[in-house]
């Protein structure tokens, strides 16, 4: 668990240093989708505290990039709160 926290914090610092918006998931399970709608295919299930980089945003959806994936996640499933990263 400690290594996961360190990894998440390091990823956060990398995202912050490149001026990207760092986010992380806040629910036990969050679905990463191919398109910004609930009918779109689920690409991946993300666990709580998964660090992400924001690429773009619509009214209710955020396009994000992870370590080996890119997709869309509903805006209420992520936070910008630094406490989530630590």
């Amino acid at each position: 668990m400690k290594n996961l926290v360190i990894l998440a914090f390091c990823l956060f610092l990398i995202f912050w240093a490149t001026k990207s918006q760092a986010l992380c998931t806040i629910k036990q399970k969050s679905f990463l989708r191919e398109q910004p709608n609930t009918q779109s295919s689920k690409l991946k299930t993300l666990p709580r505290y998964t660090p992400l980089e924001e690429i773009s945003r619509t009214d209710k959806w955020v396009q994000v990039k992870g370590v080996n994936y890119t997709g869309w996640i509903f805006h209420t499933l992520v936070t910008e709160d630094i406490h989530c990263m630590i």
Side-chain angles (χ1 to χ4, degrees):
M1 182 66 177
K2 184 177 179 181
N3 290 340
L4 182 61
V5 170
I6 292 169
L7 174 63
F9 184 69
C10 289
L11 287 172
F12 168 76
L13 290 177
I14 291 168
F15 293 151
W16 181 77
T18 60
K19 304 289 189 228
S20 298
Q21 181 62 51
L23 306 170
C24 69
T25 56
I26 57 174
K27 301 292 183 183
Q28 284 294 94
K29 279 199 278 187
S30 300
F31 297 122
L32 185 72
R33 296 190 179 268
E34 191 174 318
Q35 298 294 322
N37 62 68
T38 56
Q39 290 75 40
S40 181
S41 298
K42 295 174 187 172
L43 299 174
K44 193 171 187 68
T45 302
L46 304 174
R48 182 182 288 170
Y49 307 128
T50 300
L52 301 165
E53 176 185 0
E54 181 179 325
I55 298 171
S56 67
R57 191 178 280 261
T58 67
D59 281 349
K60 297 190 183 224
W61 291 87
V62 183
Q63 188 178 27
V64 295
K65 178 180 175 183
V67 176
N68 294 316
Y69 49 84
T70 301
W72 292 87
I73 191 165
F74 197 67
H75 72 104
T76 61
L77 302 176
V78 292
T79 183
E80 300 171 5
D81 187 356
I82 185 69
H83 295 101
C84 182
M85 306 293 172
I86 300 174

